[in-house]
Amino acid sequence: MTMPTRTIEGARMNVTPATVVGFWREAGPARWFASDEAFDNECRNGFLEAHLLAARREFEHWLGDAEGALALVLLLDQIPRNVFRRSAHAYATDGLARHYASRALTLGLDTQVDVALRPFFYLPFEHSEAMADQERSLELFARLPGDSARWAQLHYDIIQRFGRFPHRNAALGRDSTTEERAFLAEGGFSG
């Protein structure tokens, strides 16, 4: 069942940190990182307008607590990757997501959420093409149990090798080098 698209004013009135975080929690790990058209449509129908409001910094007041900060980062880092898959807009709010994630970390809000959701405060650094952010990502993910540090290392290695994520080149209108094309053809990380 798809949710009707709301107006931006409707999103401002109806979307709360609890609805964003609840939706994401319920989706769970099996859907978070899969390329799933049905899930992408759920994200689009439920949260596109909220993403646009967050991009305009209209939810900045959500940084007052851990759930609000997490919802804000999800709207700017994860939701666009689903809503705008394989397009430049999927990455357009990455800088703002990092800004809010940094502020949340400074306030210690990441440690106030369930450990299963904590990585979403760290992913904006893992998604960055700046080496300093990649180094920060490694430090942050090393704090977590499980194998999430392995994924942070994979992202770091790609940035160290290419200085960017080759799988983004087509969406961002960048020419791929011969080495990048070979990496992708061999099944290199595709995001």
Side-chain angles (χ1 to χ4, degrees):
M1 177 178 175
T2 58
M3 298 165 41
T5 303
R6 295 184 285 244
T7 65
I8 287 183
E9 283 304 315
R12 186 187 331 265
M13 301 295 288
N14 296 320
V15 173
T16 66
T19 59
V20 175
V21 174
F23 168 80
W24 203 255
R25 181 182 289 116
E26 186 177 316
R31 299 185 86 191
W32 290 339
F33 304 110
S35 181
D36 176 347
E37 189 174 331
F39 184 57
D40 291 352
N41 286 332
E42 288 178 48
C43 291
R44 184 177 301 107
N45 292 333
F47 299 100
L48 173 58
E49 291 84 6
H51 159 74
L52 296 173
L53 288 167
R56 292 186 348 210
R57 300 180 80 138
E58 294 193 29
F59 291 148
E60 190 155 320
H61 62 282
W62 285 6
L63 280 172
D65 62 48
E67 184 177 57
L70 177 59
L72 191 54
V73 173
L74 288 169
L75 286 173
L76 295 167
D77 184 70
Q78 293 299 302
I79 294 296
R81 281 171 165 70
N82 293 95
V83 171
F84 303 107
R85 191 177 298 280
R86 289 180 289 284
S87 79
H89 194 93
Y91 317 111
T93 54
D94 281 7
L96 192 54
R98 268 191 316 282
H99 167 76
Y100 287 131
S102 288
R103 289 178 60 188
L105 293 173
T106 298
L107 296 170
L109 299 177
D110 59 315
T111 62
Q112 297 176 29
V113 300
D114 181 58
V115 73
L117 295 173
R118 198 169 301 160
F120 293 102
F121 280 113
Y122 308 157
L123 281 171
F125 303 100
E126 184 178 290
H127 291 154
S128 174
E129 291 183 326
M131 187 53 74
D133 291 330
Q134 289 297 318
E135 290 167 356
R136 188 170 189 191
S137 169
L138 289 176
E139 293 169 12
L140 293 167
F141 278 103
R143 301 176 186 176
L144 297 176
D147 71 345
S148 57
R150 177 175 66 93
W151 292 104
Q153 185 67 53
L154 175 65
H155 284 76
Y156 175 91
D157 292 345
I158 292 169
I159 295 301
Q160 186 174 50
R161 179 176 175 187
F162 298 108
R164 62 189 185 174
F165 293 115
H167 66 274
R168 294 183 185 176
N169 289 349
L172 296 174
R174 302 187 301 208
D175 292 329
S176 293
T177 66
T178 302
E179 185 182 9
E180 288 173 333
R181 284 192 299 276
F183 172 75
L184 293 172
E186 294 166 1
F189 182 73
S190 61

